[in-house]
Amino acid sequence: PVRSHFGSRWLKSFRFLPLSAASGLHMEASVVVAFKDDSRAEVLLGLKKRGFGQGKWTAYGGKLEHGETPDVCARREFVEETTVEPEALVFRGRIDYSFEDHEAMLDMLWMHVGNHQGGVKTKGQPTPPFTMHIFESVGVSAEPMETDEMAPRWYDTRDLPFEQMWVDGQLWLPRVLVPLDR
């Protein structure tokens, strides 16, 4: 296994899949894991209402626009999808994703923080590998509102809907739930 750095913690990668030769692009996205308050007892997730990931609970975020930094993207996407501002964003880590076959993702997902690797094939066409930048926010400016894209819900951090999330959420989200100072 490859060792990977996630925030201030080390973790083991799961399964390595080689870089798809057909893939030459690299996409980036940012997400915000928002806690309701300093107790960190509740975390905000959104139910994706349309498009890629429809029907899944996820952290709020999206793709970086040209020339945008990961933190600016995280804040912009959070505001667009919740109608409220996150409090101060704290960078928690970066994950580089690689999938050789989208259907095999459930069985063969691997997570590697630090190096660009891999690709996704959707309907036989390779999709570029991508990097996800993870930020946290303790507190938001008001109660999040439902938008055309996402329906918000505060979840108890001890009872998250992992079975209704992308499989990778089971791997990285628990690590973000732990404060950096522990």
Side-chain angles (χ1 to χ4, degrees), residues 46-168:
L47 178 64
K48 191 85 159 93
K49 294 168 51 177
R50 62 183 177 153
F52 188 66
Q54 182 175 352
K56 296 202 180 285
W57 288 98
T58 184
Y60 285 87
K63 292 180 270 190
L64 272 72
E65 294 179 352
H66 180 73
E68 193 172 44
T69 61
D71 59 320
V72 169
C73 171
R75 183 171 298 279
R76 175 186 54 77
E77 288 282 351
F78 191 85
V79 171
E80 286 175 6
E81 295 174 350
T82 66
T83 73
V84 300
E85 289 277 342
E87 297 297 329
L89 294 177
V90 176
F91 179 74
R92 288 299 306 268
R94 182 183 117 177
I95 302 171
D96 291 322
Y97 290 87
S98 171
F99 310 104
E100 285 298 311
D101 180 89
H102 191 69
E103 293 300 317
M105 172 175 75
L106 297 175
D107 298 320
M108 300 174 65
L109 174 73
W110 72 277
M111 179 167 92
H112 179 79
V113 181
N115 293 321
H116 160 79
Q117 315 220 6
V120 179
K121 288 184 181 176
T122 305
K123 296 181 182 175
Q125 299 299 313
T127 319
F130 70 97
T131 296
M132 182 171 73
H133 305 273
I134 303 167
F135 294 86
E136 76 171 46
S137 170
V138 176
V140 295
S141 63
E143 193 59 31
M145 302 291 291
E146 185 168 338
T147 63
D148 290 343
E149 191 170 346
M150 304 279 274
R153 179 173 169 193
W154 291 104
Y155 274 94
D156 183 309
T157 56
R158 297 167 300 177
D159 189 28
L160 297 174
F162 287 121
E163 67 284 349
Q164 297 170 320
M165 297 171 70
W166 291 107
V167 68
D168 68 311

